[in-house]
Amino acid sequence: MSSVLFKQAISEKINFSLNDGKRFLCSFVYWMMCLFIGLLVFFPLHLNAQEQEQRSPVQPAVTNSSQIDTLTNKEHSIELPDTTPVDLASLTKKESLAGVYGSISSVGSDTLATLISLWSEQFKTVYPHVKFQIQASGSATAPQALTQGTATIGPMSRALTATEISRFTQKYGYPPTTLIVAVDAIAIYVEKNNPLQSLTLQEVDALFSVTRFCGSSKKIDTWTDIGVNKFGENREVLLYGRNSASGTYDLFKKQALCEGDFKATVNELPGSSSVVLSIASSVGGLGYAALGQFDENVKALSISTEIDGENDYIEPNTDNITSGKYPFSRYLYIVVNKPPDQQLPVLERAFLTFILSDEGQDMVDKNGYYSISNELRDKQLVSILR
């Protein structure tokens, strides 16, 4: 019995081993066949890829000069003309819309706000897809906005200070570009029926300043102090002027007060038009504001300067202002962020070119300001278009 059981056990073990061997052999044959088939399929593909690579090596996209030339030509096809466009209306609608679109943000001078608005409206008749945002918050805000990148152009009624240039240069590595776009003057206004016709530089200083650095020996507080008896003996002069953010304020302080300090009684207003309106509606009012804000209800006084020991009364008229004879003449500026040896974006170039064109400068003359000389205009156009 035991021998029978032993034989049976041996037989089962042999069968089990044979079965395992068969399974292992089948698996081995299966994987070898898979490997062989894989080599037959993928190895020729690999050889073909190598042959193709050797025949025509892959070229980087950026070295395709024909594509680069095409792109460059497309980018530079939107160019301003080499000469000044003196008449925007002569451009066809198709030409006028070529690449000139987007928005311009103007932050700065209140004095220039009227001109910026007029220029922008005329510009939009030819380029209707252009949008303008005009903020007339004073010349001091222009360099700040340009430095911070929140403005496209910065109108100013005074030149940039060394500090403003330094701050801009520290951020961008180059100074801002300043363009002269018009000539203006600061006028001393009184109500149109006031008998006063003129003031000396010393009287202007004594009226507005507590320091009297320009040489007046006495202060002026009342109308009788300057020989006007219309308002009675004790009628004080109501003084009006611009606020400290204004370029008009800074320039008047320099030119009329000899860098002195304003009286605390000067009513500071945010715009030249507000000054003119306040003087026109007041009794015994006198103030300074941009001549471009002239109103029929006020008159601008002549200013006396001493020449060869005699007083010469200079009217604020075209000849005296453009020649610089009138003591409170000034340039009006637009400041832009222009990297050296690079053109401005096409929109800014188009708008600034229009401002310096015959049409743009005619608008200056027709709205109480004075156009710049052709020589100065052409010189600045070169800097814009290069």
Side-chain angles (χ1 to χ4, degrees):
M1 182 68 180
S2 60
S3 62
V4 173
L5 291 174
F6 175 76
K7 290 179 180 180
Q8 185 177 357
I10 294 297
S11 177
E12 289 177 358
K13 185 174 182 180
I14 291 172
N15 290 335
F16 178 78
S17 298
L18 289 174
N19 289 336
D20 286 348
K22 290 178 182 179
R23 284 196 294 269
F24 173 80
L25 182 60
C26 289
S27 297
F28 177 79
V29 171
Y30 172 80
W31 286 111
M32 288 299 293
M33 290 178 65
C34 290
L35 179 61
F36 180 75
I37 293 172
L39 290 174
L40 289 177
V41 173
F42 293 109
F43 188 71
L45 293 177
H46 176 67
L47 290 176
N48 290 337
Q50 280 188 328
E51 290 177 358
Q52 183 67 23
E53 185 175 336
Q54 290 174 355
R55 290 172 185 169
S56 56
V58 177
Q59 296 292 334
V62 294
T63 61
N64 192 328
S65 59
S66 62
Q67 290 183 356
I68 292 176
D69 291 342
T70 301
L71 290 173
T72 304
N73 290 335
K74 288 180 180 179
E75 291 170 353
H76 290 286
S77 65
I78 305 168
E79 287 286 349
L80 293 175
D82 293 333
T83 57
T84 308
V86 295
D87 183 10
L88 280 181
S90 68
L91 297 175
T92 66
K93 186 173 182 181
K94 181 178 179 181
E95 290 172 335
S96 68
L97 296 178
V100 182
Y101 59 88
S103 62
I104 290 179
S105 174
S106 172
V107 179
S109 170
D110 165 78
T111 300
L112 263 172
T114 300
L115 275 178
I116 294 292
S117 179
L118 292 170
W119 282 327
S120 65
E121 289 302 316
Q122 182 62 24
F123 191 74
K124 285 165 63 177
T125 63
V126 180
Y127 299 106
H129 297 291
V130 177
K131 296 181 180 179
F132 286 86
Q133 296 178 337
I134 301 172
Q135 181 179 330
S137 47
S139 293
T141 62
Q144 296 175 6
L146 285 171
T147 302
Q148 295 168 1
T150 58
T152 311
I153 61 174
M156 297 187 69
S157 59
R158 60 166 176 80
L160 288 160
T161 66
T163 301
E164 290 167 341
I165 295 172
S166 176
R167 288 173 181 168
F168 183 97
T169 304
Q170 286 177 1
K171 180 168 183 178
Y172 293 101
Y174 53 86
T177 296
T178 302
L179 300 171
I180 298 170
V181 295
V183 182
D184 185 33
I186 300 174
I188 308 297
Y189 291 108
V190 292
E191 192 267 328
K192 66 178 182 179
N193 296 316
N194 192 309
L196 187 65
Q197 298 295 325
S198 62
L199 290 170
T200 67
L201 287 172
Q202 289 76 22
E203 286 173 335
V204 173
D205 181 39
L207 277 163
F208 285 93
S209 173
V210 294
T211 49
R212 302 202 303 275
F213 287 163
C214 294
S216 177
S217 59
K218 61 178 182 178
K219 65 180 181 177
I220 298 177
D221 293 324
T222 68
W223 281 105
T224 54
D225 290 336
I226 48 177
V228 177
N229 298 314
K230 177 181 179 178
F231 306 108
E233 290 187 5
N234 298 318
R235 170 73 70 172
E236 291 188 354
V237 181
L238 295 177
L239 298 172
Y240 297 94
R242 295 298 313 281
N243 57 11
S244 58
S246 165
T248 304
Y249 173 100
D250 290 335
L251 192 62
F252 192 77
K253 178 182 173 71
K254 178 180 179 180
Q255 293 183 336
L257 275 58
C258 299
E259 297 287 5
D261 296 326
F262 280 96
K263 289 179 179 178
T265 54
V266 179
N267 296 288
E268 296 184 355
L269 300 175
S272 286
S273 58
S274 301
V275 173
V276 171
L277 289 173
S278 297
I279 294 169
S281 60
S282 67
V283 178
L286 181 148
Y288 70 91
L291 186 60
Q293 298 295 328
F294 180 82
D295 183 279
E296 62 181 5
N297 294 312
V298 296
K299 66 179 179 181
L301 302 178
S302 297
I303 303 299
S304 171
T305 58
E306 188 174 315
I307 300 177
D308 297 330
E310 295 184 1
N311 285 334
D312 185 14
Y313 289 90
I314 311 299
E315 296 181 14
N317 57 34
T318 301
D319 291 339
N320 291 334
I321 290 170
T322 55
S323 67
K325 189 176 181 181
Y326 181 72
F328 302 145
S329 302
R330 61 176 176 175
Y331 284 131
L332 300 179
Y333 308 89
I334 288 180
V335 186
V336 293
N337 183 346
K338 181 183 181 299
D341 302 322
Q342 291 186 31
Q343 287 186 328
L344 286 167
V346 65
L347 174 55
E348 287 96 300
R349 277 188 288 144
F351 184 55
L352 293 174
T353 300
F354 166 63
I355 289 174
L356 296 176
S357 70
D358 286 348
E359 185 178 1
Q361 289 298 295
D362 284 344
M363 294 174 68
V364 172
D365 290 325
K366 291 176 181 178
N367 288 279
Y369 302 88
Y370 305 92
S371 59
I372 62 176
S373 67
N374 289 336
E375 182 181 0
L376 177 58
R377 184 171 57 172
D378 293 342
K379 181 180 179 181
Q380 295 185 123
L381 280 169
V382 173
S383 69
I384 294 174
L385 296 172
R386 72 164 184 244

